[in-house]
Amino acid sequence: MVLTPRAPRFLPCGDAALTVEFAPGIEAAATALALALAADLEATPLPGLREALPTYRSLTLTYDPCVTGFAALRADLLGRIAALRPGAIAGPRHSIPVFYGGPACLDLACLAAEKGLTEEALIALHLGAGYRVAMIGFAPGFAYLSGLPAALATPRRAEVRQRVPEGALGIGGVQASVNSVAAPSAWSYIGQTPLRLFDATRARPCLLAPGDRLRLRRIGAAEFDALAERARRGEILFDPEERA
């Protein structure tokens, strides 16, 4: 990956958090830096650090203000950022089963028509990409994905649907996503995974994490139903450290 890093901005967030901003918008280089810094801090934590939350373009850190503060963290982080090697960070890979049909296949036909593609051609483009979980947000376990083919980028819809099913795979602008829970959305949806991205009863409630790499695997209705039933029984269906 060719990176074009710029001087990061350090933004105070109250007296117990700060944000390191690497870019003003969604950029692959900024995402790589945020994930690399989060991994570095997980491997070698700083005193007083509580949590590191990466996004497409930044990393927010929460800390114990009785142990450290904004100025001390900024000084430590500047040195770490200068030494980062983002291209060396490789998260676990997962194969995600996807059914391009059913109640979550809300926009496949109209999206294909808008793009001048057949439905099968659009599905092939969607399946053929490699995705990375850039961040978790909006709802518990909701996965924002980078890696969407440029040909599939689509503006958000003018109207918000009040309920999009759990597991729906969406497209919003240059972003892709996987819904973790049923929720309102103005994104376009073309398929659904039977995997449960969020389950509060699990030891690790969120199935995916920032930095994870995903490949999509097409399944039919029968396999979707069988996997969905297994997921309802609490099966995770893949090893969080699986290498595809």
Side-chain angles (χ1 to χ4, degrees):
M1 177 186 296
V2 177
L3 297 174
T4 56
R6 65 192 72 195
R9 296 176 66 208
F10 291 85
L11 309 172
C13 303
D15 64 352
L18 67 82
T19 291
V20 188
E21 186 183 272
F22 294 107
I26 295 175
E27 293 183 12
T31 303
L33 285 166
L35 293 173
L37 182 55
D40 185 71
L41 290 168
E42 182 178 1
T44 312
L46 291 170
L49 186 65
R50 286 175 169 163
E51 190 174 17
L53 304 168
T55 76
Y56 279 106
R57 63 191 184 99
S58 65
L59 183 72
T60 294
L61 307 175
T62 62
Y63 58 86
D64 183 348
C66 295
V67 176
T68 189
F70 180 89
L73 278 176
R74 184 181 186 278
D76 285 333
L77 291 169
L78 279 170
R80 293 210 181 201
I81 292 166
L84 288 177
R85 295 177 57 231
I89 302 299
R93 281 183 178 167
H94 309 299
S95 176
I96 304 296
V98 180
F99 174 43
Y100 291 93
C105 188
L106 297 164
D107 301 295
L108 178 60
C110 65
L111 201 58
E114 287 175 14
K115 303 292 184 184
L117 299 168
T118 65
E119 292 183 20
E120 286 300 315
L122 189 149
I123 290 170
L125 275 174
H126 193 247
L127 283 171
Y131 299 92
R132 183 181 289 272
V133 179
M135 57 185 263
I136 300 294
F138 174 66
F142 184 102
Y144 288 89
L145 311 180
S146 60
L148 181 74
L152 297 184
T154 303
R156 289 169 175 80
R157 295 162 43 86
E159 302 85 18
V160 177
R161 289 189 175 99
Q162 293 307 302
R163 190 180 189 280
V164 174
E166 172 187 353
L169 274 75
I171 295 172
V174 298
Q175 305 171 91
S177 69
V178 189
N179 281 21
S180 55
V181 296
S185 179
W187 289 33
S188 296
Y189 288 89
I190 61 174
Q192 186 174 13
T193 181
L195 303 185
R196 299 193 69 188
L197 268 66
F198 179 76
D199 185 342
T201 66
R202 293 193 300 237
R204 177 183 164 180
C206 295
L207 190 64
L208 301 175
D212 287 2
R213 293 174 292 166
L214 310 181
R215 279 287 182 183
L216 307 182
R217 177 176 69 87
R218 189 174 187 178
I219 60 174
E223 186 175 0
F224 178 91
D225 291 341
L227 290 175
E229 178 56 34
R230 291 173 61 191
R232 280 192 289 270
R233 295 199 300 264
E235 293 186 49
I236 292 178
L237 303 179
F238 69 65
D239 180 350
E241 297 303 321
E242 172 188 343
R243 296 281 172 176

